[in-house]
Amino acid sequence: MTALSGCKKQEIQLPQISSPGLSEIQNHSSIWIFRDSTENGVVPRLNKNNKIINTHWIFHIDKRLPMKDIVPLLIKMQEDKNKPSMHKKGNMESYFSYANLSGKKISLFSFTETNFNIIDKDSFPRELSSIKNEIVIIQLQEKLVKINNQIISRDSIGAILKRIEPSPSVEKEENSDAFLILNYSGETVYEDYLSLKAYLNENEIITSSTEYLLTVK
């Protein structure tokens, strides 16, 4: 499914996911991340001309783009949204859009609370060393899904997690992050990322609000 942006009718291919989501919100503006072909290859192009600070933001992102191109733009837009402003209203969220194959319509997935973190792959274990909770790592490496380095099918995540319990010696702090940590390689395409996020949400599998995009030096 494709979506069109503005009067120039620029096309964008949305992720196609069979998962329920929010179908409509009021008071929103759109942000687009296109996939452009140039002489030097494929590059992302951010179009934020229609964004209004005191609205919900809907991000329409081409499903073929790798996460290494998308995450830096999302971080920049989150910084813009969080800047103090006399015109800004509270409770304005950010959403990803996708083509809902179940209902054959555009649906939305909130990522307002997501904290994107870009980190070198070799530094990732040290980054987690400060977390007091028992940790289970869900990794998306392009199309492969792993739990604690074991390759699994996406549909088996729930069953495997039920067999993994945090250590009894680890006491979770009130309001602390979930012990499930999501990370993904830079080459993982957006459609695969959002499909996994939608699956986790639909199955009420709660991950940490901080996600890690793993890079290689």
Side-chain angles (χ1 to χ4, degrees), residues 37-91:
S37 296
T38 68
E39 293 181 356
N40 298 319
V42 175
V43 296
R45 177 168 56 84
L46 173 67
N47 184 329
K48 56 179 181 177
N49 296 337
N50 295 322
K51 78 173 178 64
I52 301 172
I53 191 64
N54 59 338
T55 64
H56 300 293
W57 288 0
I58 299 178
F59 286 73
H60 308 285
I61 303 174
D62 195 291
K63 68 180 185 179
R64 300 165 292 178
L65 285 169
M67 293 303 290
K68 67 180 181 181
D69 290 341
I70 296 171
V71 170
L73 298 178
L74 294 177
I75 292 174
K76 176 178 174 17
M77 295 308 299
Q78 285 181 324
E79 290 172 349
D80 286 351
K81 197 171 186 64
N82 292 330
K83 286 179 181 177
S85 171
M86 61 181 296
H87 303 292
K88 185 166 65 174
K89 298 179 181 178
N91 302 319

Side-chain angles (χ1 to χ4, degrees), residues 3-175:
L4 301 177
S5 167
C7 58
K8 292 185 179 179
K9 303 299 182 184
Q10 295 169 293
E11 274 194 1
I12 194 166
Q13 292 189 23
L14 295 178
Q16 300 184 52
I17 303 172
S18 296
S19 179
L22 189 63
S23 59
E24 184 178 355
I25 57 171
Q26 303 297 321
N27 189 26
H28 67 269
S29 52
S30 293
I31 297 166
W32 306 80
I33 302 180
F34 295 97
R35 180 180 182 271
D36 283 354
S37 296
T38 68
E39 293 181 356
N40 298 319
V42 175
V43 296
R45 177 168 56 84
L46 173 67
N47 184 329
K48 56 179 181 177
N49 296 337
N50 295 322
K51 78 173 178 64
I52 301 172
I53 191 64
N54 59 338
T55 64
H56 300 293
W57 288 0
I58 299 178
F59 286 73
H60 308 285
I61 303 174
D62 195 291
K63 68 180 185 179
R64 300 165 292 178
L65 285 169
M67 293 303 290
K68 67 180 181 181
D69 290 341
I70 296 171
V71 170
L73 298 178
L74 294 177
I75 292 174
K76 176 178 174 17
M77 295 308 299
Q78 285 181 324
E79 290 172 349
D80 286 351
K81 197 171 186 64
N82 292 330
K83 286 179 181 177
S85 171
M86 61 181 296
H87 303 292
K88 185 166 65 174
K89 298 179 181 178
N91 302 319
M92 291 299 156
E93 301 198 25
S94 297
Y95 297 90
F96 293 130
S97 71
Y98 64 93
N100 183 349
L101 297 180
S102 300
K104 296 182 179 180
K105 59 185 179 182
I106 302 298
S107 291
L108 305 175
F109 184 91
S110 176
F111 68 99
T112 307
E113 302 300 325
T114 302
N115 174 35
F116 297 99
N117 195 331
I118 302 174
I119 190 169
D120 175 66
K121 182 179 180 181
D122 294 334
S123 302
F124 181 59
R126 293 196 298 273
E127 177 76 11
L128 299 184
S129 64
S130 63
I131 299 177
K132 297 180 179 180
N133 292 348
E134 188 82 1
I135 297 170
V136 175
I137 298 175
I138 301 178
Q139 182 179 5
L140 185 58
Q141 187 174 352
E142 298 186 38
K143 288 187 175 296
L144 292 179
V145 179
K146 298 180 180 180
I147 289 185
N148 290 352
N149 287 323
Q150 177 187 355
I151 297 175
I152 63 169
S153 66
R154 191 188 69 180
D155 293 341
S156 67
I157 291 175
I160 291 174
L161 290 177
K162 287 180 180 178
R163 299 199 299 267
I164 300 176
E165 295 293 340
S167 169
S169 63
V170 178
E171 294 184 4
K172 291 191 176 183
E173 298 178 358
E174 186 176 359
N175 299 323

Side-chain angles (χ1 to χ4, degrees), residues 19-22 98 108-110 194-207:
S19 179
L22 189 63
Y98 64 93
L108 305 175
F109 184 91
S110 176
L194 195 58
S195 294
L196 177 59
K197 290 278 286 184
Y199 171 86
L200 295 174
N201 181 69
E202 187 174 356
N203 288 274
E204 299 182 340
I205 299 172
I206 301 173
T207 61

Side-chain angles (χ1 to χ4, degrees), residues 178-189:
F179 70 96
L180 301 180
I181 307 293
L182 176 62
N183 71 69
Y184 33 87
S185 66
E187 297 302 325
T188 299
V189 297

